[in-house]
């Protein structure tokens, strides 16, 4: 296999549901010379980043907080600021990331209850309503776009339920923000956390959080338990001044600045519509190849999660795509689904050409593995799905 000077295979296609391919313009921005992170040039850029994130979040008021972190670090930031030893939280779980919230909350001594739905199913809203009627919770923790199953949570409906109580709604939107609509203020999403490496088209390394006034009334209390690096009380005064709280990851913030500029040039609504269109196209094309959609409720627009056609092993298909076509897609960590589930991103820096290439390479790979594949029919189905 030929390789480029960077060590990556030539024509390498990163088609995971995160981290995703990064535009050259964003990579070039990350490679700019490092400047003083509290100097006027960088502070102007940082303040602009905060301002331009607000419409992506659907938030006004308290500016977002940005920090060097993984996505799970951002999830922990939400947990430690709204919960603590002995505080009770309710977690919705329909995939991989609800249990991560459970682990993080349990790790700080919070009392944890769960509303569990089958893998790929919608969040059980009636179950949430019932749990909230029976006990008092500090927070409800949920996942916007469940990247392990492709399920999209109805945040508007969930937010309306939580808003009737004193609990705050905290949402992991790591694989949602920038690709799936987020209207935090309108939907009552009190804490949104996300990361840089998915729909925001940047390398991994940045976490961000956005909080409502309702959440802030809880966060600023002194009874939440110990907080250190992720203490939002330290972030707010700096964000309101347009300044980073700690030593800023300058290169990563330069990258985010460029990515937000690209989103702004395209238009936020157009960017969200592009994610929906590409998701429809890939879904229709794969179904024409014999794949079947895995999520049973509304699918996230930022990835496609499918069962492979009968007789096709998902691990073999994934390995063959990488070895023969330099195309990297994902499988699953759920043991009972490992042989049948594949996941492909439709998030971030992706266009119709990528979807066409996905379908061509997957069709060819199916044929290589002894399966049947109507390449022309798959491309026609994707084209027909373009308009919605």
């Amino acid at each position: 296999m030929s390789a480029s000077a960077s060590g990556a295979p030539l024509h390498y296609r990163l088609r995971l549901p995160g981290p995703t391919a990064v535009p050259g313009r964003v990579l070039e921005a990350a490679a700019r010379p490092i400047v003083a992170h509290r100097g006027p040039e960088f502070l102007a850029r940082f303040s602009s980043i905060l301002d331009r994130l607000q419409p992506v979040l659907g938030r006004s008021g308290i500016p977002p907080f940005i920090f060097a972190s993984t996505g799970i670090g951002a999830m922990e930031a939400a947990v430690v600021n709204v919960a603590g030893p002995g505080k009770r939280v309710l977690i919705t779980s329909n995939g991989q990331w609800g249990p991560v919230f459970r682990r993080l909350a349990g790790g700080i001594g919070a009392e944890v209850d769960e509303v569990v739905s089958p893998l790929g199913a919608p969040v059980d809203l009636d179950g949430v309503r019932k749990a909230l009627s029976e006990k008092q919770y500090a927070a409800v923790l949920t996942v916007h776009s469940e990247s392990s199953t492709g399920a999209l949570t109805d945040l508007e409906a969930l937010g309306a339920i939580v808003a009737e109580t004193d609990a705050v709604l905290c949402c992991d939107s790591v694989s949602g923000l920038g690709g799936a609509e987020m209207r935090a203020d309108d939907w009552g999403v009190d804490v949104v956390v996300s990361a840089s490496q998915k729909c925001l088209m940047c390398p991994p390394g940045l976490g961000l959080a956005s909080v409502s006034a309702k959440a802030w009334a809880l966060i600023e209390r002194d009874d939440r338990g110990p907080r250190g690096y992720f203490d939002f009380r330290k972030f707010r005064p700096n964000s309101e001044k347009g300044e980073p709280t700690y030593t800023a990851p300058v290169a990563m913030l330069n990258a985010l600045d460029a990515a937000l500029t690209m989103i702004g040039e395209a238009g936020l609504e157009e960017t969200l519509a592009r994610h929906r269109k590409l998701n429809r196209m890939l879904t229709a094309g794969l179904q024409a190849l014999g794949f079947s959609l895995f999520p049973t409720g509304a699918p996230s627009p930022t990835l496609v999660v499918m069962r492979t056609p009968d007789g096709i092993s998902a691990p073999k298909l994934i390995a063959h795509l990488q070895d023969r076509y330099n195309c990297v897609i994902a499988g699953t960590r759920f043991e009972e689904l490992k042989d049948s589930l594949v996941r492909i991103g439709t998030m971030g820096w992706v266009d119709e050409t990528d979807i066409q290439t996905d379908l061509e390479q997957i069709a060819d790979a199916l044929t290589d593995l002894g399966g049947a594949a109507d390449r022309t029919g798959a491309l026609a189905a994707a084209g027909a799905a373009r308009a919605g």
Side-chain angles (χ1 to χ4, degrees):
M1 183 182 296
S2 300
S4 66
S6 68
L10 292 173
H11 311 300
Y12 179 88
R13 301 187 64 243
L14 185 62
R15 300 295 293 114
L16 299 174
T20 61
V22 178
R25 185 172 168 183
V26 174
L27 292 173
E28 289 169 4
R32 291 176 190 156
I34 301 297
V35 297
H37 74 289
R38 298 200 186 277
E41 176 186 350
F42 180 77
L43 290 180
R45 185 174 303 144
F46 186 76
S47 182
S48 175
I49 289 169
L50 298 182
D51 289 343
R52 285 177 290 154
L53 278 172
Q54 290 289 62
V56 180
L57 290 155
R59 180 82 79 200
S60 59
I62 300 171
F65 313 141
I66 306 178
F67 39 87
S69 172
T70 64
I72 291 180
M75 294 172 72
E76 180 166 311
V79 170
V80 299
N81 278 278
V82 301
K87 308 303 178 185
R88 187 172 294 278
V89 298
L90 181 66
I91 296 171
T92 70
S93 182
N94 60 348
Q96 176 181 338
W97 297 107
V100 172
F101 264 141
R102 180 184 65 211
R103 172 171 61 82
L104 294 171
I108 63 169
E111 299 293 331
V112 179
D113 292 332
E114 284 185 280
V115 174
V116 179
S117 304
L119 295 177
V123 166
D124 180 0
L125 297 176
D126 289 336
V128 172
R129 186 180 289 106
K130 182 175 185 294
L132 290 173
S133 72
E134 294 173 347
K135 295 179 184 177
Q136 185 171 2
Y137 293 92
V140 176
L141 308 175
T142 195
V143 178
H144 184 194
S145 168
E146 178 49 84
S147 60
S148 68
T149 66
L152 185 72
T153 296
D154 185 346
L155 291 177
E156 183 175 14
L158 181 59
I161 294 168
V162 178
E164 296 176 354
T165 74
D166 291 333
V168 297
L169 177 59
C170 300
C171 177
D172 155 18
S173 190
V174 171
S175 72
L177 191 70
E181 185 178 30
M182 171 61 73
R183 294 168 57 187
D185 284 344
D186 292 344
W187 294 344
V189 186
D190 297 299
V191 180
V192 179
V193 292
S194 192
S196 56
Q197 75 274 14
K198 301 205 176 193
C199 304
L200 294 178
M201 304 187 294
C202 291
L206 286 180
L208 65 92
S210 171
V211 304
S212 70
K214 180 181 178 181
W216 189 254
L218 182 68
I219 291 165
E220 67 179 349
R221 287 164 48 173
D222 291 327
D223 64 347
R224 297 296 93 187
R227 285 173 272 178
Y229 177 74
F230 290 128
D231 189 342
F232 288 167
R233 295 171 299 181
K234 293 182 173 67
F235 282 89
R236 181 173 179 177
N238 289 286
S239 285
E240 288 180 337
K241 292 185 290 184
E243 299 178 2
T245 301
Y246 303 112
T247 301
V250 175
M252 284 296 305
L253 286 160
N254 288 343
L256 181 58
D257 173 63
L260 290 171
T261 297
M262 292 177 68
I263 291 172
E265 289 171 352
L268 177 58
E269 293 306 316
E270 290 76 7
T271 297
L272 298 176
R274 173 173 57 83
H275 282 80
R276 294 191 295 269
K277 176 185 70 175
L278 297 180
N279 192 277
R280 290 194 307 269
M281 291 175 65
L282 183 57
T283 297
L286 289 175
Q287 287 174 327
L289 289 172
F291 290 77
S292 56
L293 192 63
F294 181 73
T296 56
S300 171
T302 69
L303 75 158
V304 172
V305 181
M306 288 275 187
R307 292 185 185 271
T308 54
D310 290 343
I312 298 295
S313 160
K316 288 182 180 179
L317 176 61
I318 292 165
H320 188 72
L321 282 167
Q322 180 158 4
D323 293 344
R324 177 92 181 250
Y325 299 96
N326 292 343
C327 175
V328 182
I329 68 172
T332 180
R333 295 184 182 181
F334 297 114
E335 194 64 38
E336 67 273 27
L337 297 171
K338 277 189 176 179
D339 197 54
S340 63
L341 219 62
V342 295
R343 300 179 299 133
I344 306 173
T346 54
M347 60 179 73
W349 192 47
V350 183
D351 61 19
E352 291 186 26
T353 301
D354 292 301
I355 303 304
Q356 176 177 325
T357 305
D358 290 339
L359 294 171
E360 291 172 344
Q361 292 183 338
I362 291 170
D364 291 348
L366 290 174
T367 301
D368 296 341
L369 295 172
D374 181 359
R375 195 182 204 251
T376 302
L379 294 173
R386 181 185 292 111

